[in-house]
Amino acid sequence: MCGIVGYIGEKQAPPVLLEALKKLEYRGYDSSGIGVITSDKGHMLLQKTRGKIKDLQALLEAHPFPESSIGICHTRWATHGVPNKVNAHPHADCTGKILVVHNGIIENFEELKKDLRRKGHKFASDTDTEVVAHLIEENYRGDLVAAVRKAIKRLRGAFALGVMSVDHPDALVAARVGSPLIIGLGKNENFIASDAPAILEHTRRIIYLKDGQMAVLRKDKVDVSTFGGKAVKPKIDQVTFKLDAVRKQGYAHFMLKEIHEQPEALRQMLQKRLKADTVYLEGLGLSDRQLKAVRNIVVVACGTAYHAGLVGKYVIERLAGVPVSVDVSSEFRYRQPIIGKNTLVMAISQSGETADTLAAVREAKAKGAKVVSICNVLGSSLARESDGVLYTYAGPEIGVASTKAYTAQLCMLYLFALKLSGLHRRISAGQRRLLTRHLREVPSLYEKIFRHKNAIAAIAKANSHFGCFLFLGRNINYPSALEGALKLKEISYIPAEGYAAGEMKHGPIALIDEYRAVVCLAPQSPIYEKMVSNMQEIRARRGNIIAIATEGDKAIARHAHQTIYVPRTHDLLTPLLVAVPLQLLAYYIAVKLGCDVDQPRNLAKSVTVE
């Protein structure tokens, strides 16, 4: 949540900061601000506004900054205090000489604020962040780095900080605990940022700051140390993905672009991980012997990643015969989970910075379980804290509603299940060969679905007036129903629920009438006839049915008002295929309603707070 950018160098800081911040707007977009130290008189200047980056840009065009070569900026996802100009970052101390931007949550901010007020500090905002600026001021004795170091020792919670001071116009200070922060190394310029896309136009040399580390950036060098002051020699990584990955490339929205990137994302994963009929899980961190000793698997994840985990449960249990439970990460550690050394915990997160999932992983490790993560971001906190990590390499996902990250997570879970099935010999070699053959075909089947996207758009338009949607699926596509409902409500704000179709008669059937739409997932499978029976129950109550069915199934039209077809595949792989029309249906409905598809209200891409 929230986006941070900082710059120090020889260029004019404001335009560099603003362009970089635009690339982080998916992390938060309810308010934003920028602060600089002027080059001539060394004054601190600050501009903040409610709204999106375009509103900040308009403000800067109306009131441009003078020359400056150092600055920090922020785009916010509100936690403490409503989205307005006063609560927008950066925040200053009483003197106006120290400026702070912050991601995360300071859990003891009320206690600190009370203490600082007793000492005479005056607060302007409702945020927890402002406490940090005043705490640095309270500890400042002419040495900014020492003041930051003393201040952060009193903070509890998660934070990524960027700090600068009028008294030190040649230095930018950064620190992190539990919230991502990177350092970009350039020629006579250096950067801090919440995520790499912000600064790729300037440098690909990145330091992933670790928990408990701080850095002092000058235009020609960077010094990294622990919070205790011990110097650290950081690892410098080279970011390899292309700039095109963070541009729309002619698509109307990032979400639509990322939906269309799914064939290539999966194709690359399968080429890398599947050789003949052998699965290669580089980075797993467990030997075959250790993997075979696993007695149960617990998946922890949030949101879309949780739905991927639910599909994984069906697949792993069917192919490998290993019991799997799936927990919402935010609930996992509060139920006193019964796990031990023969439990494998699989943590799924696109960003690898999801706070609830990280907390669940720490709980699991404390109880002696092995942890393997499925993640899309190299060097993330989750990757560092896991015993093994299976990178999906799906490329940056800018749209807030997850699309390609979801199908990449699904694909990785199928590969893991195939690997495990080979050790447990639950299915025959012939069955494995058949499944791997069908799995390899999925990217080309996606491209086949895209050839009919105009028909999906027409169905979306015809149903966009409904005020409520119900998504129904059975067996392995029950999680698909949950995911379809989530996509629609995330970006269109239409109330939507996902249900196991067999549960409809235990309550949700009361909702069905001619004013609601029901999306029924009915691809060919062993439970197809049961799904059709559920559709007949809906029709009897005048429900408006959109069916997602297998190509060639003409009979389904008798039970649905409209039908979206997906290509035929192995029934176990149908969640991979139905995901695409569900994404497109949500997308086209949201567009028809005029919603901001890439930046839906109240949401942010990387959820780094509990």
Side-chain angles (χ1 to χ4, degrees):
M1 308 260 201
C2 304
I4 285 175
V5 182
Y7 174 79
I8 184 168
E10 296 181 341
K11 295 174 183 171
Q12 289 301 303
V16 172
L17 291 168
L18 189 64
E19 288 304 310
L21 199 62
K22 288 178 182 178
K23 296 179 179 65
L24 292 182
E25 198 166 13
Y26 61 91
R27 297 182 66 93
Y29 34 85
D30 56 44
S31 58
S32 58
I34 180 171
V36 300
I37 300 173
T38 61
S39 299
D40 53 357
K41 299 179 180 179
H43 291 160
M44 186 84 76
L45 295 179
L46 182 62
Q47 294 277 25
K48 304 197 290 185
T49 183
R50 180 181 178 179
K52 300 190 176 184
I53 305 298
K54 64 181 181 182
D55 300 304
L56 180 62
Q57 184 171 3
L59 184 63
L60 292 174
E61 288 171 355
H63 306 282
F65 282 133
E67 288 189 2
S68 169
S69 59
I70 178 173
I72 53 178
C73 59
H74 188 272
T75 182
R76 184 175 184 242
W77 185 87
T79 55
H80 296 70
V82 299
N84 60 24
K85 179 178 178 180
V86 173
N87 288 329
H89 299 213
H91 288 284
D93 69 328
C94 294
T95 68
K97 291 186 174 183
I98 296 170
L99 215 56
V100 173
V101 287
H102 161 234
N103 291 349
I105 287 182
I106 307 302
E107 294 175 355
N108 61 333
F109 88 100
E110 289 184 341
E111 169 193 328
L112 293 171
K113 192 171 188 177
K114 186 177 180 180
D115 180 54
L116 288 164
R117 274 182 168 152
R118 279 200 303 265
K119 294 175 179 177
H121 291 264
K122 305 293 183 184
F123 288 82
S125 77
D126 300 317
T127 68
D128 55 338
T129 302
E130 193 182 357
V131 165
V132 181
H134 291 279
L135 199 56
I136 294 170
E137 176 196 2
E138 183 66 23
N139 288 282
Y140 183 67
R141 302 291 184 272
D143 186 335
L144 180 63
V145 177
V148 172
R149 184 169 280 125
K150 288 179 181 177
I152 58 182
K153 287 180 179 178
R154 293 194 61 190
L155 303 179
R156 291 201 310 270
F159 56 84
L161 299 175
V163 184
M164 65 181 191
S165 168
V166 166
D167 293 342
H168 303 270
D170 61 342
L172 191 59
V173 182
R176 74 154 283 182
V177 168
S179 194
L181 196 64
I182 65 169
I183 297 167
L185 305 175
K187 185 177 180 181
N188 292 323
E189 60 181 6
N190 291 303
F191 307 79
I192 61 171
S194 304
D195 204 353
I199 57 176
L200 285 184
E201 289 188 4
H202 304 280
T203 182
R204 291 179 175 273
R205 298 174 67 232
I206 301 293
I207 295 170
Y208 293 94
L209 209 60
K210 297 180 180 179
D211 276 0
Q213 289 184 346
M214 61 186 297
V216 181
L217 289 73
R218 304 184 192 278
K219 71 175 185 179
D220 55 356
K221 70 172 183 173
V222 173
D223 295 313
V224 179
S225 64
T226 66
F227 287 176
K230 182 180 179 181
V232 172
K233 185 177 181 181
K235 180 177 180 284
I236 299 173
D237 287 292
Q238 190 80 17
V239 176
T240 57
F241 60 75
K242 298 177 181 178
L243 276 172
D244 285 345
V246 293
R247 294 172 176 157
K248 290 181 185 175
Q249 294 180 279
Y251 286 95
H253 299 92
F254 277 111
M255 183 179 178
L256 186 60
K257 171 177 174 279
E258 287 154 10
I259 289 172
H260 281 79
E261 286 175 342
Q262 290 175 116
E264 188 58 25
L266 265 62
R267 190 173 283 122
Q268 289 187 16
M269 182 189 295
L270 293 169
Q271 287 173 350
K272 182 181 178 66
R273 302 284 193 176
L274 198 55
K275 309 290 184 183
D277 296 324
T278 303
V279 177
Y280 293 89
L281 296 182
E282 178 189 357
L284 181 64
L286 299 176
S287 67
D288 286 356
R289 182 178 178 182
Q290 288 175 305
L291 204 52
K292 195 172 182 179
V294 169
R295 292 291 170 262
N296 67 303
I297 295 171
V298 179
V299 177
V300 291
C302 301
T304 287
Y306 171 73
H307 299 154
L310 288 173
V311 174
K313 170 184 170 65
Y314 285 92
V315 177
I316 293 167
E317 290 187 343
R318 182 163 157 184
L319 295 184
V322 178
V324 181
S325 61
V326 188
D327 274 71
V328 176
S329 298
S330 57
E331 292 295 321
F332 174 76
R333 65 193 174 119
Y334 299 115
R335 69 171 177 85
Q336 298 182 342
I338 301 170
I339 57 177
K341 64 178 183 179
N342 291 324
T343 300
L344 175 63
V345 171
M346 298 193 74
I348 309 174
S349 168
Q350 188 281 142
S351 67
E353 303 293 346
T354 309
D356 292 313
T357 301
L358 284 167
V361 163
R362 289 161 189 154
E363 177 75 9
K365 294 189 77 172
K367 290 180 176 290
K370 291 289 186 182
V371 175
V372 171
S373 59
I374 295 177
C375 183
N376 191 37
V377 179
L378 276 65
S380 65
S381 297
L382 181 60
R384 290 197 302 271
E385 295 197 29
S386 302
D387 297 297
V389 55
L390 300 174
Y391 285 116
T392 55
Y393 297 112
E397 190 178 64
I398 306 300
V400 167
S402 183
T403 52
K404 66 176 180 176
Y406 172 66
T407 51
Q409 289 162 355
L410 286 183
C411 191
M412 188 62 78
L413 285 163
Y414 282 105
L415 290 170
F416 177 80
L418 282 167
K419 169 76 173 177
L420 206 56
S421 73
L423 297 175
H424 288 273
R425 303 191 182 281
R426 171 90 169 182
I427 60 174
S428 69
Q431 290 173 311
R432 282 172 53 80
R433 283 194 298 271
L434 178 65
L435 190 57
T436 54
R437 177 171 65 81
H438 281 293
L439 189 57
R440 283 196 183 91
E441 293 172 352
V442 168
S444 61
L445 298 183
Y446 280 176
E447 289 161 349
K448 193 173 182 180
I449 294 171
F450 291 148
R451 290 198 286 271
H452 301 283
K453 65 181 180 181
N454 289 340
I456 299 173
I459 291 172
K461 183 177 180 181
N463 290 274
S464 61
H465 65 285
F466 287 111
C468 177
F469 276 70
L470 189 63
F471 289 73
L472 299 177
R474 297 193 78 127
N475 195 258
I476 199 167
N477 278 307
Y478 162 46
S480 301
L482 297 175
E483 175 60 14
L486 178 62
K487 280 293 148 288
L488 183 65
K489 58 191 167 190
E490 276 182 317
I491 62 173
S492 74
Y493 319 135
I494 296 174
E497 289 188 86
Y499 263 91
E503 284 292 291
M504 178 182 62
K505 55 188 172 288
H506 297 290
I509 200 167
L511 298 173
I512 293 173
D513 58 23
E514 67 269 32
Y515 303 110
R516 291 168 176 81
V518 186
V519 180
C520 294
L521 304 177
Q524 290 294 329
S525 74
I527 47 87
Y528 171 78
E529 290 180 354
K530 292 187 180 297
M531 191 68 214
V532 170
S533 295
N534 296 135
M535 293 170 67
Q536 290 172 328
E537 293 165 359
I538 298 165
R539 284 217 45 140
R541 289 156 180 84
R542 296 186 296 174
N544 295 276
I545 298 176
I546 304 167
I548 298 181
T550 301
E551 207 170 55
D553 181 3
K554 302 302 181 184
I556 200 77
R558 297 199 302 268
H559 312 292
H561 292 79
Q562 292 140 329
T563 303
I564 299 169
Y565 287 105
V566 296
R568 187 174 296 274
T569 188
H570 193 292
D571 69 278
L572 202 61
L573 299 178
T574 54
L576 277 167
L577 290 196
V578 302
V580 174
L582 288 171
Q583 293 166 0
L584 289 170
L585 188 67
Y587 172 80
Y588 287 122
I589 289 174
V591 169
K592 178 65 172 65
L593 296 176
C595 300
D596 191 337
V597 174
D598 286 336
Q599 298 174 358
R601 68 186 182 206
N602 302 332
L603 298 179
K605 186 68 180 173
S606 181
V607 186
T608 58
V609 296
E610 288 192 76

PDB file of all heavy atoms in Angstrom, residues 7-11 69 184-191 202 205 218-221:
ATOM      1  N   TYR A   7      14.560  11.061  -4.660  1.00  0.00           N
ATOM      2  CA  TYR A   7      15.620  11.297  -5.650  1.00  0.00           C
ATOM      3  C   TYR A   7      16.667  12.243  -5.085  1.00  0.00           C
ATOM      4  O   TYR A   7      16.343  13.219  -4.403  1.00  0.00           O
ATOM      5  CB  TYR A   7      15.043  11.905  -6.928  1.00  0.00           C
ATOM      6  CG  TYR A   7      16.106  12.301  -7.934  1.00  0.00           C
ATOM      7  CD1 TYR A   7      16.706  11.341  -8.743  1.00  0.00           C
ATOM      8  CD2 TYR A   7      16.537  13.626  -8.049  1.00  0.00           C
ATOM      9  CE1 TYR A   7      17.706  11.691  -9.649  1.00  0.00           C
ATOM     10  CE2 TYR A   7      17.519  13.998  -8.957  1.00  0.00           C
ATOM     11  CZ  TYR A   7      18.108  13.022  -9.761  1.00  0.00           C
ATOM     12  OH  TYR A   7      19.094  13.366 -10.647  1.00  0.00           O
ATOM     13  N   ILE A   8      17.922  11.955  -5.399  1.00  0.00           N
ATOM     14  CA  ILE A   8      19.026  12.890  -5.152  1.00  0.00           C
ATOM     15  C   ILE A   8      20.015  12.727  -6.295  1.00  0.00           C
ATOM     16  O   ILE A   8      20.384  11.610  -6.658  1.00  0.00           O
ATOM     17  CB  ILE A   8      19.685  12.642  -3.781  1.00  0.00           C
ATOM     18  CG1 ILE A   8      20.771  13.694  -3.506  1.00  0.00           C
ATOM     19  CG2 ILE A   8      20.241  11.227  -3.642  1.00  0.00           C
ATOM     20  CD1 ILE A   8      21.266  13.709  -2.073  1.00  0.00           C
ATOM     21  N   GLY A   9      20.391  13.828  -6.898  1.00  0.00           N
ATOM     22  CA  GLY A   9      21.293  13.737  -8.045  1.00  0.00           C
ATOM     23  C   GLY A   9      21.543  15.088  -8.680  1.00  0.00           C
ATOM     24  O   GLY A   9      21.493  16.123  -8.006  1.00  0.00           O
ATOM     25  N   GLU A  10      21.766  15.078  -9.992  1.00  0.00           N
ATOM     26  CA  GLU A  10      22.092  16.309 -10.708  1.00  0.00           C
ATOM     27  C   GLU A  10      20.947  16.819 -11.570  1.00  0.00           C
ATOM     28  O   GLU A  10      21.008  17.921 -12.099  1.00  0.00           O
ATOM     29  CB  GLU A  10      23.339  16.076 -11.576  1.00  0.00           C
ATOM     30  CG  GLU A  10      24.586  15.762 -10.748  1.00  0.00           C
ATOM     31  CD  GLU A  10      25.832  15.544 -11.599  1.00  0.00           C
ATOM     32  OE1 GLU A  10      25.663  15.287 -12.813  1.00  0.00           O
ATOM     33  OE2 GLU A  10      26.944  15.641 -11.057  1.00  0.00           O
ATOM     34  N   LYS A  11      19.895  15.995 -11.725  1.00  0.00           N
ATOM     35  CA  LYS A  11      18.742  16.412 -12.519  1.00  0.00           C
ATOM     36  C   LYS A  11      17.795  17.259 -11.673  1.00  0.00           C
ATOM     37  O   LYS A  11      17.930  17.326 -10.445  1.00  0.00           O
ATOM     38  CB  LYS A  11      17.995  15.181 -13.039  1.00  0.00           C
ATOM     39  CG  LYS A  11      18.793  14.335 -14.010  1.00  0.00           C
ATOM     40  CD  LYS A  11      18.033  13.060 -14.355  1.00  0.00           C
ATOM     41  CE  LYS A  11      18.864  12.164 -15.271  1.00  0.00           C
ATOM     42  NZ  LYS A  11      18.254  10.822 -15.446  1.00  0.00           N
ATOM     43  N   SER A  69      17.423  19.542  -6.623  1.00  0.00           N
ATOM     44  CA  SER A  69      18.036  18.271  -7.025  1.00  0.00           C
ATOM     45  C   SER A  69      17.841  17.180  -5.974  1.00  0.00           C
ATOM     46  O   SER A  69      18.470  16.132  -6.034  1.00  0.00           O
ATOM     47  CB  SER A  69      19.533  18.464  -7.291  1.00  0.00           C
ATOM     48  OG  SER A  69      20.177  18.955  -6.130  1.00  0.00           O
ATOM     49  N   GLY A 184      17.695   2.540  -5.944  1.00  0.00           N
ATOM     50  CA  GLY A 184      18.169   2.495  -7.316  1.00  0.00           C
ATOM     51  C   GLY A 184      19.482   3.244  -7.445  1.00  0.00           C
ATOM     52  O   GLY A 184      19.614   4.364  -6.963  1.00  0.00           O
ATOM     53  N   LEU A 185      20.455   2.598  -8.081  1.00  0.00           N
ATOM     54  CA  LEU A 185      21.792   3.169  -8.218  1.00  0.00           C
ATOM     55  C   LEU A 185      22.002   3.692  -9.629  1.00  0.00           C
ATOM     56  O   LEU A 185      21.974   2.923 -10.604  1.00  0.00           O
ATOM     57  CB  LEU A 185      22.842   2.105  -7.894  1.00  0.00           C
ATOM     58  CG  LEU A 185      22.702   1.415  -6.529  1.00  0.00           C
ATOM     59  CD1 LEU A 185      23.742   0.307  -6.394  1.00  0.00           C
ATOM     60  CD2 LEU A 185      22.837   2.419  -5.398  1.00  0.00           C
ATOM     61  N   GLY A 186      22.201   4.984  -9.759  1.00  0.00           N
ATOM     62  CA  GLY A 186      22.448   5.581 -11.057  1.00  0.00           C
ATOM     63  C   GLY A 186      23.814   6.237 -11.120  1.00  0.00           C
ATOM     64  O   GLY A 186      24.627   6.103 -10.204  1.00  0.00           O
ATOM     65  N   LYS A 187      24.061   6.945 -12.210  1.00  0.00           N
ATOM     66  CA  LYS A 187      25.313   7.672 -12.369  1.00  0.00           C
ATOM     67  C   LYS A 187      25.104   9.099 -11.880  1.00  0.00           C
ATOM     68  O   LYS A 187      24.353   9.879 -12.459  1.00  0.00           O
ATOM     69  CB  LYS A 187      25.745   7.667 -13.832  1.00  0.00           C
ATOM     70  CG  LYS A 187      27.103   8.309 -14.063  1.00  0.00           C
ATOM     71  CD  LYS A 187      27.514   8.220 -15.519  1.00  0.00           C
ATOM     72  CE  LYS A 187      28.895   8.866 -15.735  1.00  0.00           C
ATOM     73  NZ  LYS A 187      29.290   8.804 -17.169  1.00  0.00           N
ATOM     74  N   ASN A 188      25.774   9.433 -10.784  1.00  0.00           N
ATOM     75  CA  ASN A 188      25.615  10.745 -10.140  1.00  0.00           C
ATOM     76  C   ASN A 188      24.159  11.018  -9.749  1.00  0.00           C
ATOM     77  O   ASN A 188      23.710  12.167  -9.726  1.00  0.00           O
ATOM     78  CB  ASN A 188      26.139  11.868 -11.030  1.00  0.00           C
ATOM     79  CG  ASN A 188      27.650  11.808 -11.185  1.00  0.00           C
ATOM     80  OD1 ASN A 188      28.366  11.468 -10.241  1.00  0.00           O
ATOM     81  ND2 ASN A 188      28.139  12.096 -12.381  1.00  0.00           N
ATOM     82  N   GLU A 189      23.436   9.963  -9.442  1.00  0.00           N
ATOM     83  CA  GLU A 189      22.067  10.084  -8.938  1.00  0.00           C
ATOM     84  C   GLU A 189      21.668   8.760  -8.316  1.00  0.00           C
ATOM     85  O   GLU A 189      22.105   7.688  -8.754  1.00  0.00           O
ATOM     86  CB  GLU A 189      21.096  10.456 -10.060  1.00  0.00           C
ATOM     87  CG  GLU A 189      21.040   9.452 -11.189  1.00  0.00           C
ATOM     88  CD  GLU A 189      20.087   9.881 -12.299  1.00  0.00           C
ATOM     89  OE1 GLU A 189      19.562  11.017 -12.232  1.00  0.00           O
ATOM     90  OE2 GLU A 189      19.866   9.084 -13.233  1.00  0.00           O
ATOM     91  N   ASN A 190      20.842   8.836  -7.289  1.00  0.00           N
ATOM     92  CA  ASN A 190      20.351   7.637  -6.632  1.00  0.00           C
ATOM     93  C   ASN A 190      18.887   7.841  -6.242  1.00  0.00           C
ATOM     94  O   ASN A 190      18.412   8.974  -6.123  1.00  0.00           O
ATOM     95  CB  ASN A 190      21.201   7.302  -5.403  1.00  0.00           C
ATOM     96  CG  ASN A 190      22.608   6.842  -5.792  1.00  0.00           C
ATOM     97  OD1 ASN A 190      22.775   5.887  -6.537  1.00  0.00           O
ATOM     98  ND2 ASN A 190      23.629   7.545  -5.297  1.00  0.00           N
ATOM     99  N   PHE A 191      18.193   6.723  -6.037  1.00  0.00           N
ATOM    100  CA  PHE A 191      16.748   6.752  -5.838  1.00  0.00           C
ATOM    101  C   PHE A 191      16.332   5.843  -4.690  1.00  0.00           C
ATOM    102  O   PHE A 191      17.013   4.873  -4.378  1.00  0.00           O
ATOM    103  CB  PHE A 191      16.024   6.236  -7.098  1.00  0.00           C
ATOM    104  CG  PHE A 191      16.402   6.907  -8.367  1.00  0.00           C
ATOM    105  CD1 PHE A 191      17.578   6.570  -9.043  1.00  0.00           C
ATOM    106  CD2 PHE A 191      15.571   7.864  -8.937  1.00  0.00           C
ATOM    107  CE1 PHE A 191      17.922   7.177 -10.248  1.00  0.00           C
ATOM    108  CE2 PHE A 191      15.914   8.475 -10.135  1.00  0.00           C
ATOM    109  CZ  PHE A 191      17.092   8.132 -10.789  1.00  0.00           C
ATOM    110  N   HIS A 202      15.524   5.065 -15.318  1.00  0.00           N
ATOM    111  CA  HIS A 202      16.770   5.702 -14.892  1.00  0.00           C
ATOM    112  C   HIS A 202      17.866   4.702 -14.543  1.00  0.00           C
ATOM    113  O   HIS A 202      19.052   4.981 -14.730  1.00  0.00           O
ATOM    114  CB  HIS A 202      16.494   6.603 -13.686  1.00  0.00           C
ATOM    115  CG  HIS A 202      15.441   7.631 -13.936  1.00  0.00           C
ATOM    116  ND1 HIS A 202      15.693   8.802 -14.619  1.00  0.00           N
ATOM    117  CD2 HIS A 202      14.118   7.660 -13.612  1.00  0.00           C
ATOM    118  CE1 HIS A 202      14.576   9.517 -14.693  1.00  0.00           C
ATOM    119  NE2 HIS A 202      13.610   8.841 -14.089  1.00  0.00           N
ATOM    120  N   ARG A 205      19.956  -1.083 -11.722  1.00  0.00           N
ATOM    121  CA  ARG A 205      20.769  -1.589 -10.623  1.00  0.00           C
ATOM    122  C   ARG A 205      20.039  -1.291  -9.313  1.00  0.00           C
ATOM    123  O   ARG A 205      19.857  -0.132  -8.945  1.00  0.00           O
ATOM    124  CB  ARG A 205      22.165  -0.981 -10.647  1.00  0.00           C
ATOM    125  CG  ARG A 205      22.948  -1.328 -11.907  1.00  0.00           C
ATOM    126  CD  ARG A 205      24.275  -0.604 -11.979  1.00  0.00           C
ATOM    127  NE  ARG A 205      25.187  -1.060 -10.934  1.00  0.00           N
ATOM    128  CZ  ARG A 205      25.819  -0.249 -10.086  1.00  0.00           C
ATOM    129  NH1 ARG A 205      25.622   1.063 -10.136  1.00  0.00           N
ATOM    130  NH2 ARG A 205      26.647  -0.746  -9.194  1.00  0.00           N
ATOM    131  N   ARG A 218      23.547   9.661  -1.144  1.00  0.00           N
ATOM    132  CA  ARG A 218      24.053  10.919  -1.683  1.00  0.00           C
ATOM    133  C   ARG A 218      24.095  10.755  -3.193  1.00  0.00           C
ATOM    134  O   ARG A 218      23.871   9.647  -3.696  1.00  0.00           O
ATOM    135  CB  ARG A 218      25.422  11.250  -1.091  1.00  0.00           C
ATOM    136  CG  ARG A 218      25.382  11.286   0.446  1.00  0.00           C
ATOM    137  CD  ARG A 218      26.696  11.712   1.069  1.00  0.00           C
ATOM    138  NE  ARG A 218      26.679  11.459   2.506  1.00  0.00           N
ATOM    139  CZ  ARG A 218      26.133  12.246   3.424  1.00  0.00           C
ATOM    140  NH1 ARG A 218      25.551  13.381   3.045  1.00  0.00           N
ATOM    141  NH2 ARG A 218      26.146  11.935   4.706  1.00  0.00           N
ATOM    142  N   LYS A 219      24.358  11.804  -3.914  1.00  0.00           N
ATOM    143  CA  LYS A 219      24.250  11.679  -5.371  1.00  0.00           C
ATOM    144  C   LYS A 219      25.295  10.735  -5.960  1.00  0.00           C
ATOM    145  O   LYS A 219      25.070  10.139  -7.013  1.00  0.00           O
ATOM    146  CB  LYS A 219      24.343  13.056  -6.038  1.00  0.00           C
ATOM    147  CG  LYS A 219      25.722  13.694  -6.004  1.00  0.00           C
ATOM    148  CD  LYS A 219      25.725  14.988  -6.800  1.00  0.00           C
ATOM    149  CE  LYS A 219      27.117  15.596  -6.884  1.00  0.00           C
ATOM    150  NZ  LYS A 219      27.134  16.842  -7.682  1.00  0.00           N
ATOM    151  N   ASP A 220      26.405  10.558  -5.241  1.00  0.00           N
ATOM    152  CA  ASP A 220      27.477   9.737  -5.798  1.00  0.00           C
ATOM    153  C   ASP A 220      27.778   8.481  -4.990  1.00  0.00           C
ATOM    154  O   ASP A 220      28.700   7.737  -5.309  1.00  0.00           O
ATOM    155  CB  ASP A 220      28.758  10.561  -5.936  1.00  0.00           C
ATOM    156  CG  ASP A 220      29.180  11.219  -4.637  1.00  0.00           C
ATOM    157  OD1 ASP A 220      28.432  11.102  -3.642  1.00  0.00           O
ATOM    158  OD2 ASP A 220      30.244  11.858  -4.615  1.00  0.00           O
ATOM    159  N   LYS A 221      27.004   8.186  -3.937  1.00  0.00           N
ATOM    160  CA  LYS A 221      27.242   6.964  -3.175  1.00  0.00           C
ATOM    161  C   LYS A 221      26.045   6.626  -2.299  1.00  0.00           C
ATOM    162  O   LYS A 221      25.187   7.472  -2.021  1.00  0.00           O
ATOM    163  CB  LYS A 221      28.501   7.077  -2.324  1.00  0.00           C
ATOM    164  CG  LYS A 221      28.399   8.039  -1.155  1.00  0.00           C
ATOM    165  CD  LYS A 221      29.654   7.910  -0.282  1.00  0.00           C
ATOM    166  CE  LYS A 221      29.553   8.799   0.954  1.00  0.00           C
ATOM    167  NZ  LYS A 221      30.675   8.577   1.885  1.00  0.00           N
TER     168      LYS A 221
END
